[in-house]
Amino acid sequence: MSPNIVDLRPAIKTETIPAHIAEEIETFEAEAQRVLGGDLSNDIFKPFRLQYGIYGQRQPGVQMVRIKIPFGGLTGNQLRRVAELADRFATGVGHVTTRQDIQLHFVELKHVPEMMRLLASVGLTTREACANTVRNVTACHLAGVCQGEVFDVTPYAKTVALHLLRNPLNQSLPRKFKIALSGCRQDCALTPIHDIGLLAAKRTDGAIGFRMVAGGGLGSTPRIAQVLREFTPMDELLPTIEAVIKVFDTLGNRKNRNKARMKFVIEKLGFDEFKRRWEAAYAAMGYAVPTHEPIELLEYADEPPLLMPTKAPVISNGNGHGNGAAFLNGDVSAFHAWKRTNVVLQRQAGFTTAAIKLPMGDLTGDQMWTIADLAERYSNGNIRTTINQNMVIRWIPEGRLEEFYGELLTHSLGDPGAELVEDIIACPGTDTCGLGITSSKGMARALAEVFPAGQVPEDLRDVSVKISGCHNSCAQHHIATIGLHGVGKRLGEHTAPHYELHLGGHVDGTPKIGQLTVKLPAKSVPAAVRHLVDVYRRDRKNGETLQAFITRVGKVALKEELIPYTIVPPYDQDQTYYYDWEGEAEFVLEDLGPGECAGGALEMIDDRMLEADQELYQAKLLVEKHQHALSVNKSYRAVLAAAKALLVTEGIDPATDADTFQEFDLRLAHKGIVPAMYKGLGAQVGDLGSKDATADAATERMSFARQFIAVCRTATEQMGKDLKLAQVKEALPTTAAKIVPSASVAPVQAPVYDLRGVACPMNYVKTKLKLEMMDHGEQLEVWLDAGEPIRNVPMSLRNDGHKILNEGPLEPEAKHFKILVEKVEG
């Protein structure tokens, strides 16, 4: 861009950064400098960094900065600041996410504090955009202008978001927590797939509130939320949300991140019991009797502009034409195609909302400046990001749409098809994400040939296509008509990128998770999807949508149609199947070898102790910054992590805080592994503490945690490779595993240890403990799951010196295996 255009840009308006936020950024800066100087390890720094919304990339040495945009609402002034940061510190490109955030990639850590200050000066933050916190609160981008809405949910979304930001209740949850608000039955914000979903409702007496659902989520185990309250009065909205979070924080699974979301709490308890626990938490938090005081809403200025037909100034683009030259030269049909797909009439007469299609959510710094300018010249200066990775400008006078479209064209922002099937949703995938398996963006670009922008027929208008680079469903593939998520498949000595195809997902009407139909090689996905559409057009009934067709025909029939596209030729016949879309090297997946059970147990212990150090480190920082309630929370978590580290040696990994303290007392404190002062540990550390915690209380709790961690570290350092702690008395472990009479015929009558359903490395630890209670030469039959357990446990036991006498499947299907172990004294 030429300097004269930069000079014409308006100055960014700033405000004084509040003292507590300035201090927060100073804390981050000090710790970042310690990391850069080699005085603080990245492992210790990582959870602290995530709490501030700074995420590591798969590329070493750079960060992703996630900017939190509650309900997707930002001003032109704020967007100019994001554009400036993208150009100065990142790649010159921003990425709008499916949670309405904006991400900047490839940022060096040394620049992050300055970026935080520049964001704070325009009222933006990265705080709690990552980590085990309440993530960005999302809402429909048409809230306030939707023709079918019950009421505008915008001020409620803003109030909920800012109420929970930096809230002590929200700092160390078992896993991330997501909230969404929708204003109409179309449910654009997708409330059924959230931990808490709030759908606008109105009673017969005219009172407004929310229908609240809880326990939704996608990822590897998708779940649809269930109704917690048919009607939540406004004065009970924040207390109701807090009580749900409290239940999740207390009962959430902290031992297994893959089972840590709130949907698994509900699955374990049953929804009725979860609701009872929520009611108890609501009362315990002092909300038993509603005060009926109105909710104190935060203001959100969104007044319409004057309906005046002003013309935009003509700015030369360097080729002799003014704004939108391509359109003004006569391509009226392109304008009408864009208007048909990208423009919505508002409920306010004379005004429209225009969607700006951003390919896979990406836009350049220059385009951000353009959108900011257009929002101020054609509207009231406000912009909304959407969960489909676009931006919209509302309150555009209908009579100015042609002029507005012409300016979009000049800046490559005039593509039709926004929020429709050709607007394919894709996560960053292997471009930047450390969890990505496949190039989801590359796949999206390949599918663009199947669904060309502005040329998709009406029969596919309500179809959605969403692509995730792994099973975590950041692109929400489970609720798409056509959903894809990346996996790898080993074929001989090579691995080919594949996608699992999910069909028929949606949230409108009765929500439904898409059915996993078939696994396709990445190269064949576009052809397979094209064939699916052809089959639909061949066999559909009159007026039948693709969604209805998928439901009627069913998985089996569609899978049969797609089987030919699953075939992968051998590597020596066609190597292209073994390269990802846009990949320059052969596709590979890291693979860990077998026989690592003992190492896995030691790693678990080290991980728990590291977690304890991390939590204590944050407690210290918080108490220095006078955030005493948050510090108490971190000290509590530090004690909990250290206790769980020692419990690994007992072959257990409790899922809840209460279970951890109970087992610690029973198995360790009463055996003299730790000093007697740590008996009744749970009662000594209390719970999260109150919002009114004093400096003395926080310091005292931190001191207790530091001493306890030191005791636990001493115990682990004195532990041998046999995982035995000093002074342990042999006793039968009270585990969930069962000793049952053997149903098999073995050479020696041996007891059976049933470890089906117990994952590595805990199955190895339990077996090892059981063998320690046996004499030399005695035998034990162990039942294990297929996969890693049967590969790893026998090899680890051999490494310990024991004999594996027999090994084989328990049933013809070979879902479970049995091994016969003979104990050998070391």
Side-chain angles (χ1 to χ4, degrees), residues 473-533:
S473 199
C474 292
Q476 302 169 341
H477 61 267
H478 289 105
I479 55 168
T481 318
I482 301 172
L484 295 156
H485 87 262
V487 296
K489 184 176 181 180
R490 183 174 292 281
L491 299 167
E493 297 299 316
H494 302 273
T495 303
H498 278 64
Y499 281 88
E500 294 193 343
L501 175 66
H502 304 252
L503 295 176
H506 62 91
V507 295
D508 54 318
T510 301
K512 179 183 177 182
I513 299 298
Q515 276 197 308
L516 174 56
T517 304
V518 70
K519 184 184 293 184
L520 299 163
K523 184 178 180 179
S524 299
V525 168
V529 171
R530 187 178 284 109
H531 181 67
L532 173 68
V533 174

Side-chain angles (χ1 to χ4, degrees), residues 642-650 660 662-675 678-679 708 712 725-728:
K644 293 182 75 170
L646 294 195
L647 285 172
V648 172
T649 65
E650 294 291 309
T660 299
Q662 180 180 350
E663 296 290 353
F664 186 87
D665 262 7
L666 176 67
R667 296 172 179 275
L668 299 173
H670 286 282
K671 293 180 180 178
I673 300 301
V674 295
Y678 295 114
K679 292 180 180 178
F708 179 74
C712 292
L725 295 171
Q727 301 181 21
V728 170

Side-chain angles (χ1 to χ4, degrees), residues 637-659:
R637 294 291 167 209
V639 170
L640 194 74
K644 293 182 75 170
L646 294 195
L647 285 172
V648 172
T649 65
E650 294 291 309
I652 60 173
D653 192 12
T656 68
D657 298 2
D659 288 346

Side-chain angles (χ1 to χ4, degrees), residues 524-601:
S524 299
V525 168
V529 171
R530 187 178 284 109
H531 181 67
L532 173 68
V533 174
D534 290 342
V535 170
Y536 158 61
R537 288 175 174 154
R538 183 192 72 197
D539 298 340
R540 66 187 173 188
K541 293 183 177 180
N542 187 35
E544 190 173 40
T545 65
L546 179 58
Q547 179 73 53
F549 173 78
I550 290 170
T551 302
R552 176 177 63 83
V553 173
K555 170 181 175 178
V556 174
L558 293 175
K559 182 176 181 178
E560 287 180 2
E561 287 282 353
L562 297 172
I563 285 297
Y565 298 92
T566 65
I567 298 171
V568 181
Y571 184 81
D572 57 2
Q573 290 184 17
D574 191 345
Q575 297 182 13
T576 61
Y577 279 83
Y578 300 83
Y579 284 71
D580 206 350
W581 283 99
E582 302 178 358
E584 297 179 357
E586 184 180 342
F587 183 81
V588 294
L589 282 178
E590 292 184 4
D591 186 25
L592 296 178
E596 297 183 349
C597 289

Side-chain angles (χ1 to χ4, degrees), residues 367-445:
Q367 289 174 325
M368 291 186 222
W369 278 96
T370 296
I371 293 172
D373 292 344
L374 294 178
E376 291 178 350
R377 290 197 284 111
Y378 287 88
S379 181
N380 58 11
N382 287 337
I383 300 152
R384 297 276 181 114
T385 57
T386 82
I387 62 170
N388 289 325
Q389 300 178 298
N390 295 313
M391 289 185 176
V392 300
I393 298 178
R394 299 126 58 95
W395 298 105
I396 300 175
E398 191 171 5
R400 300 192 67 190
L401 278 173
E402 294 185 23
E403 184 184 357
F404 176 80
Y405 171 67
E407 296 209 46
L408 289 180
L409 279 183
T410 303
H411 298 277
S412 301
L413 292 168
D415 287 346
E419 308 282 305
L420 300 178
V421 60
E422 56 261 56
D423 195 4
I424 296 171
I425 308 302
C427 71
T430 51
D431 284 9
T432 55
C433 180
L435 300 176
I437 295 173
T438 56
S439 174
S440 42
K441 284 189 172 183
M443 175 56 70
R445 283 186 279 268

